[in-house]
Structure formats: C-alpha cells, structure tokens
Amino acid sequence: MKTSSWPRVAVAAVLPFLLSLYLAMPALHPEPRQVSGTLSSTQACLGLCAEALSIGGISLVCKYSFSGVPASCDSRLRQAGPATAVYAQVPTVARLLGVSPAQGVLLQLQRDGQTVFKKSLSAHAWGAVYGDWLFHAVYWPFAGLVIWLWPQSAFSKRATWSD
C-alpha cells in the first residue's frame, strides 16, 4: 500500500502558513509608530549584546527575532545625528517575559529627508523564520536525523546531492 505524503507536507507548511495568515491580516499587525530626535548608538543586551539605535529615548533593533535576542545594526545606520524612525512593537518571547532590551524593531529610518533604511514588517517576519539562528538550530539537526535514519529518502538525496 502506497502511503500519502500530504501529512508530511502539511506539517512542514504549518509555520509558513500561519505566518502568511498573520501577515495577510493587517488588523493583527502592530500599529507603526514614529519618533524623531537625535539618533545615537546604544547597547541592547539579552544574553548577547548588540549595537542598537536610540532615538528620543527609544531603543530600536534592526532585525526582528522571535526570541527577542538582538542583532547588531549596520554601522552606517548608527551614525549620530538628527533622524526620524518608524518602528513597530512586535511580539517576542523576551517582550512577553518583560525582559526585552528594545522597545521595537526599525521599519524605516530617515536622515536629512532621505530614507537610509526601509524594511517591511512582512520582510522582518520572513527573515526571522528563515534566516534566524532558531530556524537553523531546528532545521539542520532535523535534516541530519532524516539523512541518517532514511538515507534513501527523497529529502536525503536532495540534501546530499546524490542520485
């Protein structure tokens, strides 16, 4: 009897589906906020420390992470001076626990009327799912286990580039 592969596809697609559903409903998105003032570089620490931005007393990170562990902002963004930022207060594990090192994630940064950084909330969320350390910490051990236990599976052949 041939088994169906749809349950495996459904399990693999659950997280992207839920994230897509969340991103498709603007009513669920946090309201973007704007702040103007003097931009300066600051430290955001939660286990690891990273260079973040501070504008008008508000600490902002440049990359969204579901865990809330900050990533350093590019040095060109951390140049001191007057600036305007648009940010969103997005849910993270650290925020839910009350230990978040930043008040929000940067969506847009303007200096002297020019936009020097712009990233949508959707792009931040997809980057967190597929580019974050958490994804790789889960995916690669899982991939290694599948390759080890089922070396003749289609996934194993694709992951090891074998015929």
Side-chain angles (χ1 to χ4, degrees):
M1 174 182 221
K2 185 178 177 184
T3 60
S4 176
S5 63
W6 73 265
R8 288 179 284 179
V9 172
V11 168
V14 166
L15 184 60
F17 172 74
L18 292 176
L19 186 62
S20 298
L21 188 62
Y22 168 75
L23 295 173
M25 295 184 189
L28 297 176
H29 292 192
E31 189 67 31
R33 298 177 183 200
Q34 184 171 341
V35 63
S36 296
T38 303
L39 182 133
S40 62
S41 181
T42 187
Q43 289 277 324
C45 297
L46 182 66
L48 302 170
C49 289
E51 295 292 326
L53 306 176
S54 177
I55 300 176
I58 295 176
S59 178
L60 302 173
V61 293
C62 299
K63 184 179 176 187
Y64 176 55
S65 168
F66 291 119
S67 62
V69 176
S72 289
C73 294
D74 191 18
S75 62
R76 69 178 175 83
L77 298 176
R78 293 184 276 124
Q79 297 173 357
T84 301
V86 176
Y87 69 97
Q89 292 181 326
V90 290
T92 64
V93 173
R95 181 175 296 280
L96 293 174
L97 296 175
V99 295
S100 180
Q103 281 81 23
V105 63
L106 183 66
L107 300 177
Q108 183 176 354
L109 181 65
Q110 292 183 341
R111 265 196 211 110
D112 301 325
Q114 289 187 317
T115 301
V116 294
F117 178 86
K118 186 171 185 174
K119 192 171 186 180
S120 68
L121 187 58
S122 172
H124 274 292
W126 282 110
V129 171
Y130 292 110
D132 197 13
W133 64 269
L134 186 59
F135 168 76
H136 295 286
V138 171
Y139 176 79
W140 291 111
F142 172 75
L145 186 64
V146 169
I147 291 168
W148 180 57
L149 292 175
W150 299 285
Q152 298 303 317
S153 70
F155 177 84
S156 296
K157 290 178 181 179
R158 185 176 306 161
T160 58
W161 296 288
S162 63
D163 292 330

